Amino acid sequence: MDRDQPKVAYFCMEYGLHEDLALYAGGLGILAGDILKAARDLSKPMVGIGILWSEGYTYQKLDSGGWPYDTFPALDRQALVDTGAVVHVEVRGETVPVKVWKTEAYGNVPLYLLDTDLPDSPHGWITKRLYGGVAQDRVAQEIVLGIGGVRALRAMNIPVDIYHFNEGHAVFAGIELIREKMQSRSLTFDTAWRETISQCVFTTHTPVMAGNESHDHGLLHYMGAYNGLTYEQMKAIGNDPFAMTIAGLRLSHIANGVAKLHGKTARAMWEDVCNRAPIIDITNGVHQGTWQDPEVRKAYFSGIGLWEAHAKAKQRLVAEIKGMTGVELDPDALLIGFARRAAPYKRSDLIFHRPEIIEPLLRERQVQLVFSGKAHPMDEIGKGIISNLASVARRHPDSVVFLENYNMKIGRLMTAGSDVWLNNPRRPLEASGTSGMKAAMNGVLNLSILDGWWPEGCIHEVNGWQVGGGYEGPNQTEHD
């Protein structure tokens, strides 16, 4: 390891390291897990900071009517090690003990997980469920992640040069850094803020403006998120209401989007924010050891061609589908995969909008479609999207499949075993779309709108196909 490399603490609300450790909801967490694994592969001096959710993220199945319902099994802690460290944060005027766990079980650099569900503590509600509860719950979780995360690093004597905030959930770590400097060295707020900026970087992911979280200042003050700062100081960092993304941009010396197009989109979104970090673009990647089928890798490097290895991966997917649903797909017919979080802009049902074209292909089994995905437990629109896909699968039981309880295992099977990977979001709302990278890593062809990473990777009619041009007009129905 190069000792001159900066030591990085990477903060994120969720981590997808393995399907058995259900600390992730979707792509943000999967990316964070892949980054920690890549850091280990490359011997980078880095640690992750996250939250140990006492309930694993939703186990989502369909009821008899085809509507998604959620259960939250207790998290399996077998892969976790007790560090012995306990730190404290203030939430609603109460001192909350936070226990620190660690895992390196999945080929990752150390991931430290913060836990308020301690024996005899009334504060287990804070780290109960990822993205659950109301605004108070979310702010309390962000206090634990940001403020508690910095204090955990101090308690374990872990040196840090750079604090990396992956999305706005982590920005209270910057507030804690400012408080530290003001208290321990008697710095002014402005000086402490400038020094903090030199230590922090920020990644923004969400091009959907509504997905960029903000909080009422009264709520922040009541919950304890001010952490010793004043209203004027917090407003200077995050505006009023307090916008977490804006705070991340003002607490960092550099920020990034997660693809070239997304960087352009993010710069346009936040161009009116004064005193913000410059936003560059660093295109996401995926972890090869997690997502590439070993036989595909072996076939590629031996120069024997990918078809036989791909056929085996497809057979494994077809067998898993039969085991999960009873549906026996034809391994010799075209199989198109689509697996994503259920969100309207991803347009999961777009392929069905021209029934006169798609219906005959499905009836004759020339085309087979395999879908998977989850909706947030409180997202009725997202659940409606999944219910609609399930109803289409019931109408075409031999050629359309919906796989329940989407997780990393299903993702691996689908991105390796599909013939074509479909992606049709509303441009430019797909930040990166890393599932398409996983498919490409396995020799699967992408069929995609020119959004996210695909404008950088698409060689039309060679490694896949572009859908449409580069512009989506304001008339969404007409464009669909």
Side-chain angles (χ1 to χ4, degrees):
M1 184 183 295
D2 183 353
R3 294 184 179 181
D4 292 332
Q5 295 182 94
K7 299 174 181 65
V8 177
Y10 183 87
F11 289 69
C12 190
M13 188 74 101
E14 54 174 294
Y15 287 90
L17 292 169
H18 192 272
E19 59 270 16
D20 290 342
L21 190 65
L23 297 172
Y24 63 96
L28 178 72
I30 302 297
L31 170 76
D34 279 9
I35 285 176
L36 296 194
K37 293 175 190 175
R40 169 55 60 84
D41 292 347
L42 298 170
S43 299
K44 298 296 182 184
M46 179 178 179
V47 299
I49 301 292
I51 290 180
L52 180 62
W53 305 102
S54 54
E55 294 181 349
Y57 192 71
T58 174
Y59 186 85
Q60 194 168 81
K61 303 282 283 185
L62 299 175
D63 64 20
S64 58
W67 189 263
Y69 69 93
D70 301 278
T71 55
F72 300 89
L75 189 79
D76 184 347
R77 299 191 176 203
Q78 292 186 56
L80 305 179
V81 175
D82 184 352
T83 67
V86 176
V87 298
H88 297 83
V89 297
E90 296 294 318
V91 177
R92 293 194 306 212
E94 300 178 11
T95 299
V96 177
V98 182
K99 190 174 182 59
V100 186
W101 301 80
K102 181 177 79 166
T103 184
E104 297 178 74
Y106 302 101
N108 54 285
V109 295
L111 170 59
Y112 295 96
L113 295 165
L114 308 169
D115 175 21
T116 64
D117 189 17
L118 279 61
D120 302 321
S121 171
H123 305 292
W125 60 273
I126 299 176
T127 58
K128 180 180 179 181
R129 185 179 300 171
L130 173 63
Y131 302 138
V134 296
Q136 285 198 25
D137 300 87
R138 179 67 59 84
V139 173
Q141 292 162 0
E142 290 165 342
I143 289 171
V144 168
L145 176 64
I147 298 171
V150 173
R151 293 179 184 178
L153 291 166
R154 302 291 183 262
M156 294 183 291
N157 296 312
I158 296 173
V160 179
D161 299 312
I162 297 294
Y163 299 83
H164 187 150
F165 308 149
N166 194 37
E167 269 289 10
H169 304 301
V171 300
F172 294 149
I175 305 302
E176 171 66 3
L177 294 175
I178 292 172
R179 184 204 63 80
E180 276 188 342
K181 299 175 199 307
M182 292 172 66
Q183 182 171 306
S184 64
R185 294 161 52 205
S186 300
L187 298 182
T188 66
F189 167 72
D190 288 339
T191 302
W193 185 6
R194 283 196 299 272
E195 283 197 11
T196 296
I197 288 171
S198 70
Q199 295 177 291
C200 298
V201 299
F202 176 67
T203 297
T204 179
H205 290 263
T206 311
V208 181
M209 186 61 80
N212 288 272
E213 187 178 289
S214 63
H215 297 298
D216 178 79
H217 274 272
L219 174 64
L220 293 187
H221 186 263
Y222 170 69
M223 295 301 295
Y226 276 21
N227 195 28
L229 300 191
T230 67
Y231 165 76
E232 289 77 16
Q233 291 164 347
M234 290 290 283
K235 181 182 177 183
I237 293 170
N239 289 1
D240 187 355
F242 189 90
M244 301 295 273
T245 300
I246 290 175
L249 291 169
R250 287 184 177 152
L251 285 164
S252 304
H253 65 273
I254 195 162
N256 71 284
V258 292
K260 287 185 177 179
L261 178 59
H262 177 240
K264 180 179 178 181
T265 301
R267 287 188 289 274
M269 284 178 67
W270 307 111
E271 64 180 351
D272 294 333
V273 176
C274 62
N275 303 319
R276 67 162 174 83
I279 303 173
I280 63 173
D281 32 85
I282 303 174
T283 302
N284 278 343
V286 297
H287 183 248
Q288 178 180 294
T290 300
W291 300 106
Q292 188 174 46
D293 184 279
E295 292 195 42
V296 168
R297 177 175 171 78
K298 181 179 177 182
Y300 175 77
F301 282 105
S302 65
I304 62 174
L306 301 180
W307 186 252
E308 185 176 339
H310 170 69
K312 290 179 181 178
K314 187 175 181 181
Q315 286 279 11
R316 287 193 291 274
L317 174 59
V318 168
E320 185 73 17
I321 290 168
K322 183 178 180 181
M324 291 180 67
T325 68
V327 175
E328 190 162 2
L329 296 181
D330 181 358
D332 295 322
L334 182 70
L335 192 158
I336 299 175
F338 184 106
R340 280 168 190 84
R341 178 173 57 86
Y345 79 85
K346 293 179 183 287
R347 297 188 289 197
S348 56
D349 62 351
L350 187 64
I351 195 169
F352 302 116
H353 278 209
R354 297 285 297 278
E356 71 277 12
I357 295 175
I358 191 65
E359 296 276 351
L361 297 173
L362 296 175
R363 283 196 301 270
E364 297 163 18
R365 298 191 79 184
Q366 294 184 56
V367 170
Q368 302 169 118
L369 300 172
V370 179
F371 293 91
S372 193
K374 277 182 181 176
H376 184 283
M378 293 184 287
D379 179 6
E380 295 300 301
I381 294 175
K383 288 187 173 184
I385 290 169
I386 287 176
S387 181
N388 181 50
L389 291 174
S391 69
V392 174
R394 289 195 297 272
R395 292 201 307 272
H396 300 278
D398 297 324
S399 53
V400 181
V401 173
F402 180 80
L403 301 180
E404 300 172 71
N405 196 42
Y406 182 45
N407 60 19
M408 289 179 70
K409 178 183 177 182
I410 291 173
R412 282 195 302 274
L413 286 164
M414 287 186 64
T415 53
S418 299
D419 294 314
V420 172
W421 195 251
L422 177 63
N423 188 32
N424 41 236
R426 297 190 191 281
R427 176 183 164 112
L429 300 182
E430 183 85 307
S432 183
T434 49
S435 66
M437 298 179 183
K438 296 162 191 168
M441 184 180 277
N442 286 290
V444 174
L445 301 169
N446 275 271
L447 171 63
S448 178
I449 298 286
L450 287 171
D451 201 7
W453 76 283
W454 186 230
E456 301 166 53
C458 177
I459 308 172
H460 185 57
E461 297 185 341
V462 175
N463 64 350
W465 300 269
Q466 72 179 58
V467 179
Y471 174 72
E472 291 228 5
N475 190 326
Q476 294 182 349
T477 302
E478 180 181 302
H479 197 90
D480 290 351

